Amino acid sequence: MTTESTTNNANQEISAEQLADEIVQQAEEQVEEQHDHAQEVISEEQERINELELALATAQSTVSDQKDSVIRAKAEVDNIRRRAAQDVEKARKFALEKFAGEMLTTVDNLERALQSIDKEDESKKGVIEGIELTLQGLIASLEKFGVKAVDPQDQPFNPEFHQAMSMQEVPDVAPNTVIAVMQKGYELNGRLVRPAMVMVSKAAPSVDTSA
C-alpha cells in the first residue's frame, strides 16, 4: 500500500471518528433539551400543586360544614401529584423516541454500506473500518439511552414486534418462524419504535389422501 493510500485511509478513519463524535453529541444535546422541557412541566405542575395545597389549608381552617370541600380539594391534589409523577416518568423514558427514530435511518444506511462493500478489497479496508467505528459508536449511544434492536432471526413470529413482508414454505422449519430479517426493528425502554420487517415460514398445503 502506498504512502498516499495510507494517508487517505487515516484521514477517512479520523473523519469517521469525528462523525461518530458528532452524532453522539447530537444525541446528548437532544436529551438535554428534552430534560429541560420535562423540568418545565414539573415546575408548572408544582405551581398548581402549591395553589391547591394553599386552597386545602384554607378549607381545613373553615367550619365543619365545609368538610366536603376539604375532601374534594385533597383528592384533587392527590390526583395532580399522581398525574405529574406519571408525566415526568414518561418524559424521562421516552424523550428520545422521535430522535431515536431519525437515527435509525442512519444505522440502516451504515449497515447497508457495510454489506455493499467488497471486504476482500484491501483498498477499501480504511473505509470499512471507518464505517464500522461510526456504526458501533452510534449503536452504543442509542443503547445508552434505552434503544435496543429487535432481531428475531429463527424466532417465532410475533405480530406485536414483527411485520411480515412475505411467507414461504421451508422444509424442516416450523410454521410461523422468522426465516429472514429484511430490516431490524427497534424498541425504546420496552416500547416499540419500529417493527422488524421479516419473512415468515408457512405450513405446506395439506395433501388429500382420500382419493
Side-chain angles (χ1 to χ4, degrees):
M1 181 179 295
T2 64
T3 301
E4 181 180 356
S5 176
T6 302
T7 301
N8 289 338
N9 289 340
N11 290 336
Q12 290 169 343
E13 292 174 6
I14 292 173
S15 177
E17 291 174 357
Q18 291 174 342
L19 176 58
D21 290 341
E22 291 175 0
I23 292 174
V24 171
Q25 183 179 357
Q26 290 175 4
E28 292 176 345
E29 290 175 353
Q30 182 72 12
V31 172
E32 185 65 27
E33 292 176 0
Q34 294 295 342
H35 177 73
D36 292 342
H37 176 68
Q39 292 299 322
E40 293 176 0
V41 173
I42 295 172
S43 298
E44 293 175 358
E45 294 290 352
Q46 186 60 51
E47 290 178 2
R48 177 58 176 159
I49 289 173
N50 292 340
E51 292 173 0
L52 288 169
E53 286 180 332
L54 179 60
L56 175 59
T58 302
Q60 287 174 328
S61 66
T62 59
V63 292
S64 59
D65 61 358
Q66 294 183 338
K67 183 177 179 180
D68 290 342
S69 297
V70 173
I71 294 174
R72 285 195 297 270
K74 186 178 184 302
E76 188 175 358
V77 169
D78 291 339
N79 288 335
I80 289 180
R81 279 177 173 162
R82 183 167 54 253
R83 288 197 300 269
Q86 292 173 347
D87 291 342
V88 170
E89 180 62 21
K90 288 179 181 179
R92 288 174 179 170
K93 199 172 184 181
F94 302 115
L96 273 178
E97 183 170 8
K98 183 177 180 180
F99 180 76
E102 295 294 333
M103 288 298 97
L104 295 183
T105 301
T106 303
V107 172
D108 293 338
N109 290 337
L110 291 172
E111 289 179 340
R112 292 190 191 101
L114 286 175
Q115 293 172 357
S116 64
I117 294 179
D118 182 5
K119 293 181 174 56
E120 302 299 324
D121 188 344
E122 287 294 326
S123 66
K124 303 291 179 59
K125 184 176 180 180
V127 175
I128 293 173
E129 291 178 353
I131 295 175
E132 287 177 340
L133 285 173
T134 303
L135 179 59
Q136 291 170 6
L138 181 55
I139 290 176
S141 297
L142 290 172
E143 289 179 347
K144 177 181 177 182
F145 296 108
V147 180
K148 295 183 179 180
V150 177
D151 189 2
Q153 180 69 41
D154 300 324
Q155 298 178 11
F157 175 73
N158 184 346
E160 293 184 0
F161 292 94
H162 313 150
Q163 181 177 350
M165 306 304 292
S166 64
M167 300 187 71
Q168 182 176 329
E169 295 177 23
V170 181
D172 301 324
V173 174
N176 293 322
T177 298
V178 175
I179 56 177
V181 179
M182 289 168 273
Q183 185 182 71
K184 287 186 292 186
Y186 286 89
E187 59 181 3
L188 173 62
N189 293 318
R191 184 163 76 178
L192 189 66
V193 176
R194 186 182 77 183
M197 296 183 180
V198 300
M199 180 183 295
V200 184
S201 63
K202 66 178 180 179
S206 59
V207 179
D208 187 0
T209 59
S210 60

